[in-house]
Amino acid sequence: MAADLEQPVAGALPVKRTFLLIGTIVIAEPLAATILFPFIYMMISDFGTVQERYVGFWAGLITSAFFVPQMLMATLLGMISDRLGRKPVLIIGLLGSALCVFLFGLSRSLSWAILSRALCGLFNANAGVSRTAIGELAHNRGLNQGRAFSLFGFCNSIGYVIGPLIGGYLAKPAQKFSWIQSGNLFDQYPYLLPCVVSSLYSIIVSVIAILLLDETNQGISYPTLTGSTVSEETPSEALAEQDPLLTRLKVAAARIGPRNSTWYCIIGVGCVSLHAIIFDEIYPIFAASAGDHGLQFTSKDIATSLSVMGPIIFVAQLVLYPFLNDRFSSLGLWRTSAAVLAVVYPLFSLLPHISENHQGSSRIVQWVILLVLLAIRFTANVVAYTSISVLLNQVVAPEKRGTIMGLGQTAISLGRAFGPALGGTIWSWSLGNGLPPPFDFHLLYVIELLLALAQVISSLGLAKSQSVYL
């Protein structure tokens, strides 16, 4: 990617700085979304109003409360950013998120937790705007889109690892750190400290963005680029002369019509977000559960298992994906990632059977297999999200990019809104139904397999629609 970012264009944005700043903004949303995963089971139990078998249901509902407002706002914010610019929308979202994550850390009841998470989701509906900014920066500078969106996917994935890591290590700090005295604020509110860290991150990034982030929407900042042949009316035509791939895509789009491609992409991204969030939300509950349906992990164990994924994601996003993208089509990578996930998901449900006594050599084997499965799953996730982002960006007209990317984010949020509640409900029901496998706790992972297969099916429609140029 470094070579791509070094090509100067008169009047163009400072590419490296803009990519870096947008990357830091991207991290904030998954950080706020996932910081509660390792401790939500404990938090709900500490409320003292929920039976254990229903904890999964309420955990799913609280998680969904974040994504429902996000779903409702994503397309609207994309439209607003088309008119007012990407920068103000991103900054307002960061500041609002900082406040609402802090309020969630003060939760002492289900109603407070649900309301504060809903408000947090309302201000975190701008991931589509971030994706738009990256897409138009790559488009306007003629950069490799696969490599450009690798940055988005990398930062998004890092947020999904760092969030649970912070939540797991900093929840209930009075039990872990000697400097937290009895009666201290963080003792009274045992889940506040990780939320404070997330809030501070959003505040710091918003201040930096105010000072240094440039607007990427050319219609806002650059009606005409000085010294450039790119005008507001015909950016894609001018760039097509510099980028043969754009010409090829444009001709293909004219033959098949972009709408079909766009909708197949949106359906596909909705599928992957649905099964991904179900896994992300249920994994800590599954890991923390006792008996023959869990791993009996502590919050620290959960955080440790996820922290190992950080280097895996780094390599997958910045090394493996560009390598694969140079050799295979984005559509092929999208489809392959779905097939891999369909195989991996059911294997997680077999982990409790490896170590019945949860100690000794069998426990080590269990840990090794768990980490391998997590590594495969996170790598496949990286490939899936990056590939579909590239596909969607290729079929969108520049003047509608914010709106369509916002619609794509709505599809992601739709999956994330229903996923946690669906997963939590199925998990709670499976623990109390008394049915044999696969209708006991294995059922959730079977459903994950079916959702991954739905992603494959959506790719078949996309292949038919885009076969001219993919």
Side-chain angles (χ1 to χ4, degrees):
M1 182 184 295
D4 293 331
L5 302 183
E6 302 248 347
Q7 304 170 6
V9 174
L13 299 177
V15 178
K16 286 186 177 180
R17 187 181 76 189
T18 305
F19 268 122
L20 179 61
L21 289 174
I22 295 175
T24 59
I25 293 173
V26 168
I27 292 175
E29 189 268 342
L31 181 64
T34 63
I35 199 165
L36 76 164
F37 284 176
F39 62 73
I40 187 64
Y41 186 93
M42 296 83 166
M43 174 185 271
I44 295 174
S45 298
D46 287 350
F47 290 157
T49 58
V50 179
Q51 297 179 14
E52 182 179 359
R53 61 174 294 188
Y54 296 114
V55 169
F57 168 78
W58 284 106
L61 191 61
I62 291 173
T63 305
S64 292
F66 180 95
F67 296 110
V68 171
Q70 187 183 70
M71 171 191 67
L72 298 175
M73 286 294 294
T75 301
L76 176 61
L77 289 181
M79 296 172 65
I80 292 173
S81 74
D82 279 340
R83 292 180 175 272
L84 303 182
R86 320 303 179 199
K87 181 176 178 176
V89 174
L90 292 172
I91 291 172
I92 292 173
L94 285 169
L95 294 175
S97 175
L99 173 62
C100 296
V101 171
F102 179 82
L103 293 176
F104 176 73
L106 300 176
S107 298
R108 285 191 168 177
S109 67
L110 286 170
S111 57
W112 182 286
I114 293 172
L115 178 60
S116 58
R117 287 300 288 174
L119 292 174
C120 191
L122 190 70
F123 286 102
N124 276 279
N126 53 18
V129 179
S130 300
R131 187 182 286 107
T132 301
I134 289 177
E136 57 195 4
L137 187 59
H139 173 83
N140 295 333
R141 290 295 301 273
L143 305 178
N144 182 293
Q145 293 188 21
R147 294 179 181 272
F149 277 103
S150 288
L151 172 69
F152 182 91
F154 171 71
C155 294
N156 193 65
S157 299
I158 285 296
Y160 269 89
V161 171
I162 294 178
L165 183 63
I166 294 174
Y169 279 120
L170 298 185
K172 294 191 172 182
Q175 300 178 8
K176 302 172 183 176
F177 308 114
S178 59
W179 57 271
I180 302 293
Q181 303 296 323
S182 177
N184 183 285
L185 178 66
F186 295 121
D187 181 36
Q188 297 179 33
Y189 298 94
Y191 307 103
L192 177 60
L193 182 58
C195 295
V196 168
V197 172
S198 177
S199 295
L200 288 176
Y201 178 84
S202 294
I203 291 172
I204 293 171
V205 171
S206 65
V207 171
I208 296 174
I210 290 172
L211 299 175
L212 298 177
L213 181 64
D214 292 291
E215 179 60 57
T216 62
N217 187 340
Q218 290 188 355
I220 301 298
S221 292
Y222 303 102
T224 302
L225 290 179
T226 304
S228 173
T229 59
V230 182
S231 67
E232 181 183 0
E233 291 77 14
T234 59
S236 59
E237 286 84 345
L239 281 169
E241 298 177 1
Q242 306 171 26
D243 190 346
L245 176 61
L246 276 176
T247 303
R248 185 182 173 194
L249 293 180
K250 189 176 177 182
V251 172
R255 292 178 183 174
I256 63 175
R259 291 186 178 180
N260 290 338
S261 298
T262 300
W263 283 109
Y264 279 121
C265 287
I266 290 173
I267 292 171
V269 78
C271 288
V272 70
S273 69
L274 179 59
H275 64 69
I277 195 62
I278 289 177
F279 178 88
D280 289 333
E281 189 260 338
I282 289 296
Y283 169 69
I285 298 175
F286 164 69
S289 296
D292 60 357
H293 58 274
L295 305 180
Q296 297 187 19
F297 277 12
T298 64
S299 61
K300 185 177 180 180
D301 291 331
I302 297 170
T304 299
S305 67
L306 292 174
S307 67
V308 177
M309 296 302 106
I312 300 294
I313 291 174
F314 182 88
V315 173
Q317 191 71 74
L318 300 185
V319 179
L320 179 61
Y321 185 82
F323 174 83
L324 295 174
N325 187 60
D326 289 340
R327 291 159 178 80
F328 305 98
S329 69
S330 296
L331 179 59
L333 295 177
W334 164 246
R335 183 179 299 148
T336 301
S337 67
V340 170
L341 289 167
V343 173
V344 168
Y345 280 138
L347 298 180
F348 281 95
S349 67
L350 303 179
L351 287 170
H353 304 300
I354 295 176
S355 175
E356 295 183 357
N357 56 12
H358 296 279
Q359 54 184 289
S361 59
S362 59
R363 185 66 161 174
I364 296 175
V365 171
Q366 185 183 59
W367 262 95
V368 170
I369 296 176
L370 170 65
L371 294 178
V372 170
L373 292 178
L374 285 174
I376 296 174
R377 184 264 175 181
F378 275 99
T379 299
N381 233 32
V382 162
V383 173
Y385 273 114
T386 309
S387 299
I388 197 63
S389 294
V390 172
L391 291 171
L392 186 57
N393 193 62
Q394 287 175 344
V395 298
V396 178
E399 66 274 10
K400 297 181 179 180
R401 187 169 284 121
T403 301
I404 298 301
M405 287 296 187
L407 190 59
Q409 184 59 39
T410 297
I412 292 175
S413 300
L414 179 64
R416 291 175 176 175
F418 286 99
L422 175 64
T425 300
I426 294 173
W427 177 262
S428 295
W429 178 80
S430 67
L431 295 185
N433 61 27
L435 298 176
F439 300 103
D440 58 356
F441 78 96
H442 297 82
L443 178 62
L444 186 66
Y445 293 96
V446 173
I447 291 176
E448 289 273 77
L449 180 154
L450 296 177
L451 291 173
L453 291 179
Q455 180 182 331
V456 176
I457 294 173
S458 74
S459 75
L460 297 178
L462 187 60
K464 181 178 180 181
S465 174
Q466 298 192 356
S467 59
V468 176
Y469 60 87
L470 286 177

